[in-house]
């Protein structure tokens, strides 16, 4: 029995340094490949324009002349279904000496309704007078404010406004 126990000892060998390095290299390659795959799934490369669209976009006179003659369209226009509301300036509920300035744009489904936008503007103004500074502090407070305003706009517009976009938000 004593000889059998001693015989098992030399038969068991620890993994060599080469096997350990090979295992680490394989795991590194698997991790790199998995990271590359997930990266491509989450952020695919932008689609290239077909050659026909590029040719139509560039005028025959050259790119320099075309850039000077073209104006960049404004994003917040009623033609795009976006209405920029007048700036909202109000005191907060607590502390009352703090003021908030808020500029908001509304994205409508289809044609925008300016009268509805004015009603929403007044509703947002009334809501901001009930908000305390502690409610809007930090990123989580700002997120809650965005969600509350989106909910109020959804109720007021009955689904005609799809998005509330903050342009500025300042508390002094």
């Amino acid at each position: 029995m004593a000889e059998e126990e001693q015989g098992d000892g030399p038969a068991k060998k620890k993994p060599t340094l080469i096997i350990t390095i090979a295992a680490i290299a394989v795991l590194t390659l698997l991790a790199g490949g998995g990271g590359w795959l997930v990266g491509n799934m989450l952020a695919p490369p932008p689609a290239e324009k077909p050659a026909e669209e590029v040719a139509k976009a560039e005028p025959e006179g050259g790119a320099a002349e075309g850039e000077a003659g073209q104006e960049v369209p404004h994003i917040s226009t009623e033609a795009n279904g976006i209405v920029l509301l007048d700036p909202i300036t109000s005191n907060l509920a607590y502390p009352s000496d703090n003021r908030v300035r808020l500029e908001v744009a509304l994205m409508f489904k289809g044609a925008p309704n300016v009268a509805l936008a004015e009603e929403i503007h007044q509703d947002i103004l009334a809501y901001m007078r009930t908000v305390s500074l502690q409610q809007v502090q930090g990123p989580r407070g700002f997120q809650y404010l965005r969600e509350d305003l989106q909910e109020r706009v959804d109720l007021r517009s009955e689904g005609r406004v799809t998005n509330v976009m903050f342009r500025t938000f300042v508390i002094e």
Side-chain angles (χ1 to χ4, degrees), residues 17-56:
L17 183 61
I18 296 174
I19 294 174
T20 305
I21 292 173
I24 291 174
V26 168
L27 289 175
T28 302
L29 289 174
L30 285 173
W36 176 80
L37 181 67
V38 169
N40 282 339
M41 288 173 53
L42 294 178
E48 295 182 17
K49 290 184 179 179
E52 296 171 359
E53 288 182 22
V54 173
K56 289 180 184 177

Side-chain angles (χ1 to χ4, degrees), residues 5 11 18 20 29 103 126 133 166:
E5 289 178 10
I18 296 174
T20 305
L29 289 174
E103 290 183 31
L133 181 62
F166 281 75

Side-chain angles (χ1 to χ4, degrees), residues 75-114:
I75 294 174
S76 60
T77 61
E78 292 180 20
N80 293 337
I82 299 174
V83 175
L84 177 63
L85 300 180
D86 293 332
I88 298 168
T89 304
S90 173
N91 289 352
L92 292 175
Y94 179 80
S96 61
D97 58 339
N98 284 13
R99 284 189 254 165
V100 64
R101 178 180 167 89
L102 179 69
E103 290 183 31
V104 178
L106 304 174
M107 181 182 290
F108 282 83
K109 279 185 196 172
N113 185 345
V114 179

Side-chain angles (χ1 to χ4, degrees), residues 124-145:
I124 292 173
L125 176 64
Y127 176 72
M128 291 307 294
R129 289 182 178 158
T130 65
V131 173
S132 70
L133 181 62
Q134 290 78 18
Q135 288 176 319
V136 294
Q137 274 185 324
R140 184 163 293 213
F142 181 70
Q143 182 66 31
Y144 289 148
L145 176 69

